[in-house]
Amino acid sequence: MAALAFPCRLEPGLGRFRPLTELEEIQQSVHLILTTRQGERPFRPKFGASLDLYAFETMDTTTCNLIRQGVVAALQTWEPRIRNIRVDFDHRPEEGRLIAHVSYEVRRSGMTASQPVSLQTG
């Protein structure tokens, strides 16, 4: 059974739910992993990346490397359908955020994808 998008969307003119492609499903999963704080899910306390812990840290090279390690570790643990994970940063202090550009390769198809994850900074 194919996964459904969240929020659910209907296929235009067909009146049925539109299933996700493999890449869309993985992108949704990556977003969920990186925006979930560890301990947030009672029956999966280690699920997530807890990136919010860095919200009030100084965004220097050390902090960015810690964030990078956390992102890679979380995705390697919770999303086995991807490999070659890479994280690059776009620091926007005037907006009070750091954007992590997460790129990866889908194991089965070899397709590459990239998606931004915005982190609030102090």
Side-chain angles (χ1 to χ4, degrees):
M1 183 172 142
L4 296 176
F6 182 80
C8 294
R9 289 174 251 160
L10 294 176
E11 288 188 21
L14 298 178
R16 62 182 179 208
F17 290 115
R18 184 180 76 78
L20 293 173
T21 65
E22 180 185 33
L23 184 58
E24 290 172 327
E25 187 178 338
I26 290 171
Q27 288 173 326
Q28 186 170 297
S29 174
V30 166
H31 176 76
L32 182 66
I33 292 165
L34 297 180
T35 57
T36 300
R37 183 177 195 170
Q38 288 182 337
E40 187 175 329
R41 291 185 167 197
F43 297 106
R44 277 190 153 174
K46 295 191 185 297
F47 181 83
S50 291
L51 297 180
D52 62 318
L53 295 176
Y54 300 101
F56 297 103
E57 299 293 328
T58 304
M59 287 301 144
D60 56 8
T61 304
T62 302
T63 304
C64 288
N65 283 333
L66 289 170
I67 293 170
R68 180 180 288 114
Q69 290 171 1
V71 167
V72 171
L75 293 178
Q76 285 175 337
T77 301
W78 298 107
E79 187 45 81
R81 297 173 290 179
I82 63 174
R83 64 178 171 210
N84 300 331
I85 303 161
R86 189 172 146 196
V87 183
D88 296 305
F89 296 100
D90 180 9
H91 190 217
R92 298 185 182 178
E94 67 282 351
E95 297 175 17
R97 65 186 178 140
L98 176 72
I99 298 175
H101 295 279
V102 181
S103 57
Y104 48 85
E105 179 184 345
V106 177
R107 287 183 190 273
R108 187 162 45 167
S109 66
M111 292 178 60
T112 57
S114 179
Q115 62 192 94
V117 177
S118 183
L119 308 169
Q120 298 301 317
T121 62

